[in-house]
Amino acid sequence: MTTRYTKDHEYVRVEGDAGIVGISDYAQSQLGDVVFVELPSVGKTLAKGDEAAVVESVKAASEVYAPVSGEVVEVNSELEASPGTVNEDPAGRGWFMKIRLTNQSELDGLLTEEQYQEFVKSIS
Amino acid sequence: MAEPAHSDQPLLQTPLHAAHVALGARMVPFAGYDMPVQYPTGILTEHTWTREHAGLFDVSHMGQAFLVAEDKSHETVAKALEALVPADVLSLKPNQQRYSQLTAEDGGILDDLMVTRVGAPGHEGWLYVVVNASMKAADYTHIQARLPKGVTLAPKDDLALMALQGPSAESVLAKLAPAVAELPFMMSADVQIDGIACHVSRSGYTGEDGFEISCRAEDAARLWDRLLSDPEVKPIGLGARDSLRLEAGLCLYGHDIDAATSPIEAGLIWSIQKRRREEGGFPGASRIQREIKDGSARVRVGIRPEGRAPAREGAIITTPDGREVGIVTSGGFGPTVNAPVAMGYVSRDVSALGTDLHLVVRGKPLPAKVAAMPFAPHHYKR
């Protein structure tokens, strides 16, 4: 199981041919209290970099981009009732969607956990 | 995710800047100042704390000034201000406060402000005004250019201002200055708090009972710490200030009101007292009096989106069949109502309570209804 990050603070945790997508702990801390998450519909095909979801904090709306290409096979509908889960457990219960990867090699272009933590240090 | 924009402008600091940083606030540029948007517990917690206990806000970035008549006559200074605002300033009693607007010749709003007739002995003929941070330079220029001989404007940059808001505000402040318990809404008093000279008014901008407290800048940090030492009080940033005032249905200058909106369109007719409505004599009176009589073509309304998605400022408002009828001027999540809330301007024909509308959020029309404001009930101490 590997987790890769984008410089836009999305993560994708790869499990077989699927990737679980969410936003990093750093991202949720920057956003503040999340009050709404707009998720894509299951079956939607996303290209890497496409707008995949919208996360709204009390203050503002932010786009979440697909870190990899693929088809949305599942979304975390629990976020509808409890969007605050994104703040509480972004890497766990606060996941956004599961994508069936169409191009595994895209993962090589993303940051490793270590690289991402270095990147966060450099911008904060 | 998109990164927030940063400004490279050098930012001003309020006398409480170091206190915010020490409390771990997230500081952001606001109206030229480096201001706390939230403290570590976050906006939702701060919002709820203010509604249930007492929140302490630094509003020292706002402009505080005195209008002073040389002849020490209230009538002189009141008439000078009445030439610029539609409120009845003349009838203010000593220590009484009113909300008003600086209006333009075309009836648009140049800024909104609070005006108080100073009650301290020896200061007859003084008015105390508080204007928005983002507009204070323009306001001062505007006012100064239009004052008659014998009336002067004295900006007071050496004053700090903080707001203590919420149901516990009275008990907290009355422990330090018992006289404030007796103050009715929109009245003020000069009190000593721990030896600090303070001007306290029973007002604020959250919909809660509470006070705005002005003191000398050099005393601000000590007063701030004293108020925060009460377990009922927590510091509250600009983020919750905005969600609180939105739920209270209160206008934010530059968003819900601006030079293109008249006080009547904005639903602020209550701030224009009877004598002024009839007599006029303020900038824009011809339009404002006409709109009082005939109604304005568009009006500010409260809006409740039906789903969970907040509609933000700038969202287009349409009828269910797609006719564009207005725009959202403030919108977001209302923590007290636990739902999205918004306000905006719509054509008068679709402004009745309960009217079905659509708000276009990210290209999608989402159902909403015209709703009564405030979204969260006011708790002013009348």
Side-chain angles (χ1 to χ4, degrees):
Chain A
M1 194 173 80
T2 38
T3 303
R4 291 280 189 275
Y5 294 84
T6 68
K7 286 192 169 180
D8 291 322
H9 311 289
E10 294 92 4
Y11 68 78
V12 50
R13 189 167 67 245
V14 183
E15 296 179 350
D17 68 344
I20 292 172
V21 173
I23 63 169
S24 71
D25 186 58
Y26 172 80
Q28 70 77 20
S29 74
Q30 290 296 302
L31 283 172
D33 300 309
V34 172
V35 295
F36 178 74
V37 181
E38 185 180 298
L39 295 167
S41 43
V42 171
K44 185 171 181 178
T45 303
L46 295 166
K48 183 175 190 283
D50 279 358
E51 189 181 310
V54 178
V55 55
E56 302 239 14
S57 67
V58 185
K59 283 302 284 175
S62 308
E63 290 83 26
V64 175
Y65 304 107
V68 289
S69 306
E71 183 194 342
V72 177
V73 291
E74 194 181 338
V75 296
N76 185 2
S77 49
E78 278 177 31
L79 296 183
E80 203 171 301
S82 48
T85 307
V86 176
N87 296 114
E88 291 154 19
D89 191 11
R93 290 177 302 115
W95 63 282
F96 282 26
M97 69 198 81
K98 195 183 266 188
I99 293 178
R100 186 180 297 120
L101 275 61
T102 47
N103 186 355
Q104 290 268 352
S105 68
E106 282 173 350
L107 294 168
D108 301 336
L110 299 178
L111 304 177
T112 63
E113 178 81 43
E114 196 174 61
Q115 288 168 332
Y116 178 70
Q117 295 309 335
E118 282 299 311
F119 171 65
V120 164
K121 255 186 243 167
S122 74
I123 57 171
S124 54
Chain B
M1 296 198 353
E3 287 292 316
H6 288 287
S7 162
D8 293 329
Q9 296 277 336
L11 294 169
L12 300 168
Q13 298 183 351
T14 75
L16 295 167
H17 187 271
H20 302 313
V21 173
L23 287 163
R26 182 178 299 169
M27 306 299 286
V28 298
F30 181 81
Y33 284 79
D34 192 33
M35 294 297 287
V37 66
Q38 64 173 82
Y39 299 86
T41 52
I43 295 173
L44 286 183
T45 306
E46 291 174 27
H47 181 111
T48 306
W49 185 269
T50 305
R51 291 262 184 260
E52 295 175 354
H53 304 272
L56 184 61
F57 304 72
D58 177 15
V59 285
S60 301
H61 57 313
M62 298 182 79
Q64 300 179 72
F66 288 101
L67 266 179
V68 181
E70 259 172 39
D71 67 2
K72 297 192 167 189
S73 141
H74 171 66
E75 188 178 341
T76 303
V77 74
K79 283 186 168 165
L81 189 59
E82 283 196 357
L84 304 175
V85 306
D88 183 341
V89 183
L90 204 53
S91 71
L92 282 174
K93 298 181 203 56
N95 285 316
Q96 189 181 6
Q97 186 173 43
R98 250 177 204 153
Y99 168 80
S100 192
Q101 310 87 33
L102 289 169
T103 48
E105 289 302 328
D106 66 1
I109 301 172
L110 299 173
D111 195 11
D112 59 347
L113 54 85
M114 297 293 279
V115 54
T116 307
R117 178 174 173 181
V118 176
H123 290 149
E124 295 83 10
W126 288 39
L127 292 173
Y128 164 63
V129 296
V130 181
V131 301
N132 282 301
S134 59
M135 299 307 295
K136 64 181 168 185
D139 291 350
Y140 293 162
T141 305
H142 174 84
I143 294 169
Q144 245 145 5
R146 287 161 183 79
L147 289 179
K149 211 168 154 11
V151 180
T152 52
L153 178 75
K156 294 291 288 177
D157 294 334
D158 56 346
L159 294 179
L161 188 65
M162 54 197 93
L164 183 68
Q165 300 279 294
S168 305
E170 179 185 284
S171 62
V172 167
L173 199 59
K175 277 184 237 169
L176 304 168
V180 304
E182 305 304 319
L183 272 182
F185 185 55
M186 298 301 270
M187 290 296 290
S188 63
D190 294 289
V191 299
Q192 297 277 325
I193 297 175
D194 256 9
I196 300 170
C198 299
H199 177 79
V200 175
S201 65
R202 193 149 206 161
S203 59
Y205 221 61
T206 60
E208 297 300 319
D209 179 31
F211 304 89
E212 294 204 341
I213 309 162
S214 176
C215 68
R216 290 185 307 177
E218 66 228 54
D219 295 328
R222 191 158 70 84
L223 180 58
W224 174 267
D225 287 344
R226 188 80 175 82
L227 292 168
L228 274 187
S229 71
D230 193 304
E232 277 295 291
V233 182
K234 288 194 189 300
I236 311 296
L238 292 176
R241 184 170 171 83
D242 192 49
S243 54
L244 288 159
R245 71 93 201 159
L246 170 59
E247 279 187 339
L250 301 170
C251 292
L252 181 62
Y253 193 80
H255 302 264
D256 310 296
I257 48 175
D258 56 27
T261 51
S262 80
I264 307 309
E265 290 176 325
L268 301 175
I269 187 169
W270 57 268
S271 69
I272 308 176
Q273 287 72 28
K274 186 162 174 279
R275 175 177 63 85
R276 306 297 322 269
R277 290 183 203 181
E278 288 165 4
E279 288 176 10
F282 49 85
S286 60
R287 172 181 171 190
I288 290 166
Q289 287 175 311
R290 186 181 70 242
E291 289 181 351
I292 290 171
K293 187 165 157 279
D294 302 334
S296 55
R298 54 175 201 151
V299 288
R300 182 172 66 96
V301 293
I303 303 166
R304 288 284 299 265
E306 285 176 12
R308 298 293 296 175
R312 308 279 177 181
E313 178 177 0
I316 299 294
I317 305 169
T318 71
T319 56
D321 58 5
R323 178 169 62 99
E324 194 172 320
V325 287
I327 190 161
V328 170
T329 51
S330 281
F333 180 76
T336 308
V337 293
N338 190 28
V341 292
M343 59 172 91
Y345 285 85
V346 296
S347 308
R348 187 143 56 107
D349 60 311
V350 294
S351 65
L353 288 183
T355 304
D356 287 312
L357 296 171
H358 280 169
L359 304 177
V360 183
V361 176
R362 292 182 285 278
K364 276 176 280 187
L366 304 179
K369 272 189 168 47
V370 176
M373 288 190 289
F375 300 109
H378 289 165
H379 294 116
Y380 302 139
K381 185 135 173 180
R382 300 278 178 191

